[in-house]
Amino acid sequence: MLDVTVIEDPEAAAASLDPIRARLLAELAAGPASAAMLAGQVGLPRQKVNYHLKALERHGLVELAGERRKGNVTERLMRATAASYVISPLALAAVQPDPDRFRDQLSARWLLALGARLVRDVGQLITGAAKARQRLATYALDGEVRFASAAERAAFIEELTAGVSALIRKYDAPDAEGGRDHRIVVAVHPTLKEPQSPSPQTELE
């Protein structure tokens, strides 16, 4: 089972977004199960669960993990093909975001368009590398910083831009034979606040 996979096919995306099928995917990500086992977990008839499993299998979202005999019946044990799924903008190809349509480094929507392109491109690279049975060379850096003020944030952005731009100028070799182009994406955005659980006093009130 893969840790994460990218769904590029529109029909597969639609199948994964169905509430019942999404629940079945979550159950199968935890471990293999038969239609009968899943029926008890999700509260649906086995025949209906089997129908949804066949749809998920058809789109490559679940796969056969094994078979076992139970009385006179052979049960198929299914498992999710990944622990989690991401839907690529390719699933909505006609309306996918295009970061080249406009460039505004201070626009949250442009940042979103860049993120969408990142999902699309890396998803395609993963698919291609898997078919070629090659390792995909990537790198990511994730961290958090608290700025004391808006001025500090602006200064950070200025230094970050200068530093990354200097590295690009230093290592960029457009005329190198056998070289390969790489895309660099650097993003800064506010951290989402974690929802606070109610205090015991609030619950009593």
Side-chain angles (χ1 to χ4, degrees):
M1 177 192 294
L2 298 172
D3 180 54
V4 60
T5 194
V6 180
I7 300 174
E8 299 175 342
D9 179 66
E11 293 185 4
S16 70
L17 290 172
D18 177 90
I20 294 175
R21 293 171 185 174
R23 172 76 188 280
L24 293 174
L25 282 175
E27 295 289 345
L28 291 174
S34 66
M37 294 165 61
L38 290 167
Q41 293 169 353
V42 301
L44 291 173
R46 181 184 59 80
Q47 293 84 352
K48 193 166 187 177
V49 169
N50 211 32
Y51 166 78
H52 289 299
L53 286 177
K54 287 181 179 178
L56 292 170
E57 185 179 15
R58 187 165 59 249
H59 295 298
L61 301 175
V62 302
E63 62 186 4
L64 183 66
E67 296 180 335
R68 69 177 183 183
R69 293 285 298 178
K70 192 172 182 180
N72 296 326
V73 179
T74 299
E75 287 189 329
R76 302 176 80 228
L77 295 174
M78 307 302 294
R79 66 184 174 197
T81 54
S84 57
Y85 300 85
V86 175
I87 296 178
S88 169
L90 284 177
L92 292 169
V95 291
Q96 63 177 308
D98 180 9
D100 293 327
R101 193 176 301 145
F102 60 94
R103 298 181 66 87
D104 181 356
Q105 290 179 307
L106 300 179
S107 167
R109 298 189 188 281
W110 189 60
L111 174 57
L112 192 62
L114 286 174
R117 185 178 65 187
L118 181 66
V119 170
R120 182 197 68 194
D121 291 355
V122 175
Q124 289 184 291
L125 287 168
I126 288 173
T127 300
K131 288 180 179 178
R133 296 185 178 181
Q134 294 180 345
R135 184 177 178 275
L136 183 61
T138 62
Y139 169 78
L141 177 65
D142 180 41
E144 290 189 24
V145 57
R146 172 171 288 198
F147 297 111
S149 64
E152 289 286 306
R153 180 185 182 280
F156 175 87
I157 296 297
E158 185 176 348
E159 289 187 41
L160 180 66
T161 302
V164 173
S165 297
L167 284 172
I168 292 174
R169 288 193 300 270
K170 179 179 179 180
Y171 290 99
D172 186 28
D175 299 325
E177 292 186 13
R180 182 170 183 178
D181 293 336
H182 285 68
R183 184 174 296 282
I184 299 167
V185 178
V186 180
V188 177
H189 65 80
T191 303
L192 286 174
K193 294 181 179 179
E194 294 291 336
Q196 294 183 348
S197 57
S199 64
Q201 286 185 333
T202 305
E203 290 178 349
L204 288 174
E205 293 173 359

